[in-house]
Amino acid sequence: MAKSPTHNKKLKDWVQKCARLCQPDDIVWIDGSASQKEQLEKEALESGELIQLNQERLPGCFLHRTAIDDVARTEHLTFICTRKKKDAGPNNNWMSPAAAYRKARAIFKGAMRGRTMYVIPFSMGPIGSEFSKIGVELTDSRYVVLNMLIMTRAGEAVLRQLDKGGDFTHCLHSKAELDIKKRLILHFPENNTIWSVGSGYGGNVLLGKKCLSLRIASFIAKKEKWFAEHMLVMGIESPNGHIEYIAGAFPSACGKTNLAMLLPPEGLKRKGYRIWTVGDDIAWMRVDSDGQLWAVNPETGFFGVAPGTNSHTNPTMVETVKKNTIFTNVVLKTDGTVWWEGSDGEVPREGIDWQGRPWKPGQLNSEGKAIAGAHPNSRFTTPISNCPSVSYRIDQPHGVPISAIIFGARRQHLAPLVYEAFNWQHGVFVGATMASERTAAQVGKLGEVRRDPMAMLPFCGYNMADYFRHWFAMGTRMAKVPKIFHVNWFRTDAEGKFLWPGYCDNLRVLEWILDRCNSKVYAVKTPIGYVPHPADIDKKGLEMSEGALEKLCEVNNQDWIEELKGVKKFFQQFKKDLPKELWEEYEALASRLK
Ligand code: OXD
Ligand code: MN
């Protein structure tokens, strides 16, 4: 076995202990060097884990295919393992640590025989920053190593940091047999440990991402008095060069990645706006010595959804994925490039689908439905440094100051295009009652409302009642709290057509939000919050039907009274643990609606 290049005894002992359990043939420490990465790519090509793409057209790009039942996060196999069940809360699957370790140990036992165990030291956030957290992932997957090298700061420099001592998140992963019946994604927040076994899908196995930076980090953040949130962070530069930053939480399929890197629409270009992307998925935010909220993106890459990404929805991402990108479960074209439903260009006449089968558009399955070439959750993993709009501040330990927090959801009828909360307490209520309607992309009844507070339902590593309490407490720790807004790009007319064009035109709404932060415009007070005077949204270059903006800003009291019934049901599941402030806000809204 290879010598361990660490002086951190805790790390050395833990690696040995895991090796005794998983019994790999070899141990390789990831140093972050280009030569080691090349060697791993070469081996992955030989083993078939990666397929090389057309290197002229897509330099440094590869394709990977997962097992067919391993294509998304498996929330029903994801557990928070705290000593007391109550600490996981009604929003999480719970298992006792003893039972979880026992079950998983049986699957990990000997799982790496005939394989190499890679040791990946990684830092979430700039290495050495007092706000960053270190993790070490042990894995038998080269795909995981190569993805972690894109998504995190990994290698030698992190090991040297660990030589100084200090704790790290113990992340153990094995593909094992890639058997869904032997798959478990386990979080042990009380001992800073993650065990993931039986999967090769990014969200389950790139342990720095959802597992560490959200579930484990949210638990730590509560203790240490900061925020770990499922949020994009973006800067909006105005013509005088001043950049203001906002953070936004949206459930999946609501366009977080597209918003984080939008290009100003034609009509607004005249104002000279420019967007700077800090992050598209995770924000770690803390109160700095100036009493304001500051955010960093702990990641260094995007793990984005491919279908629907094109030059209209996200021209910046189209540029970003042209090099050094790993595509997962997309169509392989005959020219060695890739394609997915809703991508640019013509639909290829033939290709190899995400399952590795010959594919032609229009092919029908046994039920007469068209067979998609790319999986609906096919992905690309790509470095943030490729992104033309990357913020020059991504590596700064302090991050960026946040002027506004935006909560967003997909509602056909209820929520106006944008509204502003009355104050921090009301804003927390707005976030806690966030909900989206199911789309055809999700299993379940179309149009059914799913509550997803702060877009954190699958990612909060502890009882959400305590999480809400933490949000209220954070408000008292800031000298100046960011304003809180709610947006909805998805309101429809009587025929079910979207009233708002979305995508780059969303900047028009962000402009109003910043104008409100800077007290530049008045707003209309309604029972749910402040909505814009339609004249204050810049419509230059926008083709909209007469009265559409008025309709987008409408608040229908009766609909909100109905909505409160669902809110009440949701709150009641937390019983006495729910912070009283949320019931106060509930009652206040109910009486304003009367
Ligand atoms: C993601 C998710 O992959 O939220 O970012 O599922
Ligand atoms: Mn996400």
Side-chain angles (χ1 to χ4, degrees), residues 210 230 256 281 459:
K210 303 296 187 184
H230 189 202
K256 208 145 54 85
D281 196 39
F459 305 120

Side-chain angles (χ1 to χ4, degrees), residues 391-451:
S391 164
Y392 68 95
R393 291 172 88 161
I394 49 160
D395 285 322
Q396 289 181 4
H398 261 67
V400 297
I402 296 298
S403 304
I405 290 176
I406 302 177
F407 295 121
R410 179 185 282 271
R411 300 303 295 258
Q412 275 185 41
H413 304 297
L414 182 79
L417 178 63
V418 55
Y419 66 98
E420 178 191 328
F422 296 121
N423 51 46
W424 182 264
Q425 176 166 313
H426 178 228
V428 176
F429 174 82
V430 170
T433 54
M434 245 170 88
S436 260
E437 280 142 18
R438 267 183 218 274
T439 65
Q442 289 150 332
V443 186
K445 221 166 95 210
L446 228 68
E448 189 183 67
V449 172
R450 306 165 82 205
R451 304 253 147 231

Side-chain angles (χ1 to χ4, degrees), residues 73 209-210 214 230 250 252 256 280-282 459:
R73 285 183 292 103
K209 194 173 178 63
K210 303 296 187 184
L214 288 176
H230 189 202
F250 296 75
S252 67
K256 208 145 54 85
D280 78 325
D281 196 39
I282 298 174
F459 305 120

Side-chain angles (χ1 to χ4, degrees), residues 72-75 78-80 88 91-93 185 187 189 194 201-204 206-221 227-231 249-253 256 280-284 299 303 377 379 434 450-464 467 471:
R73 285 183 292 103
T74 36
E75 286 177 19
T78 301
F79 291 83
I80 300 296
N91 49 286
N92 281 310
N93 298 317
I185 322 296
H187 304 74
I194 302 161
Y201 170 73
N204 290 334
L206 308 180
L207 299 184
K209 194 173 178 63
K210 303 296 187 184
C211 301
L212 192 163
S213 291
L214 288 176
R215 298 196 190 96
I216 294 289
S218 61
F219 178 90
I220 299 174
F227 280 128
E229 296 299 328
H230 189 202
M231 287 183 180
F250 296 75
S252 67
K256 208 145 54 85
D280 78 325
D281 196 39
I282 298 174
W284 284 1
E299 304 188 283
F303 180 62
N377 191 35
R379 299 272 174 157
M434 245 170 88
R450 306 165 82 205
R451 304 253 147 231
D452 187 357
M454 284 85 170
M456 279 291 276
L457 196 68
F459 305 120
C460 182
Y462 61 102
N463 193 326
M464 256 197 163
Y467 170 76
W471 266 82

